[in-house]
Amino acid sequence: MMNRICIIGVGLIGGSFAAGLKKSNQVNTIVGYGRNEANLIKAQELMVIDEYSLDISEALKDVDLVLIATPVNSFKAILEMIKPYITEQVIVTDVGSTKASVINIAKQVFGHMPKNFIPAHPIAGKEQSGVEAAQADLFNNKRVIITPEDNSNALSVSAVSALWQSVGAKVEIMDADKHDDLLAMTSHLPHMLAFSLMDYLMSSNPDACHYAAGGFKDFSRIASSDAVMWRDICINNPDQIIKHIEGYQESLSSIAHLIKNNQPEELEKLFSDAKSARDNWLKN
């Protein structure tokens, strides 16, 4: 159990982490920090945080851990801001969707990777954003990937793991590059497809959505996700995202080729194999 933690960026993920910790009684005091006081007041009213400050030196006073839950492109400014107030006894962690870029930013700011900075990424979320969408059970039975460096403090890694487990998450340790490749395929690529589908429909025929059924609604749901966050993910994981977009384009081209050349048996086999793969995944 920790006495005091600070969450920088009390939105969906940061707020849900705070709510989960309060529900499991793992922290005595949770303080929020951000630039939007109205949002922090709302978080306090919702009892997601106990208190807040617009002064970073006050927000970080006597904390055991700092969680950075803002878009990745803000990390450099945030790390520079908190650097004067962080000792080696204070654990720093994050929830960024890219990990190699976060590690590189930390090295730029500190001149090395601080042993008390433990990068992490919860694979959970909703298309809604903001503290109003926060929920204490958001991470229940969801994976959280922690990507420590070789010099990471083992006790800090254990502490971060324990906090995530206390909110119901399944923790896994992974190399940062492997994380970025896997997430580019399973999370970043699907979001690119949803965003691009909506862009294609709006540019081709804006009225088409009026004739869309439930399948289209399900597929396009994640296009309602936060635009700033996904902009930053693209900028911070470009090589992996582009690699998988190009790989997916090859798969689409193969389907187009089968349709164009009237090959129903091959199409049926491709669709059947894809259906079996998804059905088996859902059973696990």
Side-chain angles (χ1 to χ4, degrees), residues 1 7 12 14 17 22 24 36 43 48 51 94 123 142 148 161 166 218 227 230 236 255 270 273 282:
M1 184 170 180
I7 296 182
L12 169 65
F17 184 67
K22 290 176 72 66
S24 59
N36 186 335
V48 169
E51 57 188 76
D94 76 299
I123 306 177
K142 301 297 193 303
S161 298
S166 75
D218 292 341
W230 282 100
N236 285 279
I255 293 176
L270 188 153
D273 289 347
L282 291 176

Side-chain angles (χ1 to χ4, degrees), residues 121-184:
H121 175 216
I123 306 177
K126 301 189 292 185
E127 64 270 24
Q128 297 97 340
S129 58
V131 71
E132 294 90 348
Q135 58 186 73
D137 62 350
L138 181 66
F139 308 110
N140 193 37
N141 291 319
K142 301 297 193 303
R143 290 186 188 275
V144 171
I145 299 176
I146 297 178
T147 62
E149 290 283 89
D150 292 339
N151 70 327
S152 294
N153 182 287
L155 291 177
S156 296
V157 174
S158 296
V160 172
S161 298
L163 286 179
W164 281 113
Q165 289 166 347
S166 75
V167 299
K170 298 181 290 186
V171 175
E172 185 172 342
I173 305 295
M174 186 179 293
D175 174 77
D177 290 332
K178 180 180 179 181
H179 165 277
D180 288 356
D181 184 57
L182 285 173
L183 269 294

